[in-house]
Amino acid sequence: MPLVHKHLIVRAEVTNPPTDEQTTIHWMETLISSIGMEVMMGPFAKYLDVAGNRGLTAVAIIETSHIALHVWDEVSPGLLQLDVYTCGALEPQLVVNAIQEFGPVKVEMKYLDRENNLTELPI
């Protein structure tokens, strides 16, 4: 299988930001499975309760690279930043479907071909 180096970057404003570590770990496991990837390590999640930077971070090492989620919940709507980087095939719509449970009110995305000059791909 040739390596393809795809990177999906998501910025979403959400009404129901995740705050629970275990629930987020389960969400990330489900996401990884739904996009056809395999976990190598993790997922791990940690909630930081520091005013001005309060929120949750979760990461997973997948067979083809990594997934990182950062959430800030003290703003309204909450801010969710998600990176899915893979050396395999990726269907971006599956990632969009996965964040629906967080109540997105605004979603911005870039899908990059990291193999070819960071060319932006259609979603």
Side-chain angles (χ1 to χ4, degrees), residues 32-72:
I32 292 165
S33 176
S34 76
I35 62 176
M37 303 298 169
E38 297 290 330
V39 173
M40 288 182 60
M41 185 177 281
F44 305 101
K46 189 67 180 166
Y47 187 85
L48 177 67
D49 192 8
V50 173
N53 194 30
R54 191 177 72 204
L56 184 135
T57 295
V59 295
I61 299 171
I62 58 175
E63 188 176 84
T64 55
S65 197
H66 71 271
I67 297 175
L69 171 72
H70 305 282
V71 179
W72 292 266

Side-chain angles (χ1 to χ4, degrees), residues 1 16 42 71 74 82 87 93 98 106-107 123:
M1 173 179 82
N16 184 31
V71 179
E74 61 190 331
L82 176 64
C87 298
Q93 188 58 49
K106 180 178 181 183
V107 178
I123 295 176

Side-chain angles (χ1 to χ4, degrees), residues 5-6 14 28 30 33 44 66 68 99 103 109-110 113-116:
H5 300 283
K6 304 297 186 221
V14 298
M28 191 170 274
T30 302
S33 176
F44 305 101
H66 71 271
I99 66 170
M109 298 186 300
K110 292 205 183 268
D113 181 347
R114 291 178 59 146
E115 184 71 17
N116 296 294

Side-chain angles (χ1 to χ4, degrees), residues 61-112:
I61 299 171
I62 58 175
E63 188 176 84
T64 55
S65 197
H66 71 271
I67 297 175
L69 171 72
H70 305 282
V71 179
W72 292 266
D73 64 5
E74 61 190 331
V75 295
S76 183
L79 177 60
L80 180 148
Q81 302 268 13
L82 176 64
D83 284 5
V84 179
Y85 177 40
T86 177
C87 298
L90 176 64
E91 180 58 49
Q93 188 58 49
L94 296 173
V95 177
V96 172
N97 295 348
I99 66 170
Q100 293 308 301
E101 71 182 77
F102 304 128
V105 292
K106 180 178 181 183
V107 178
E108 299 170 308
M109 298 186 300
K110 292 205 183 268
Y111 188 34
L112 303 174

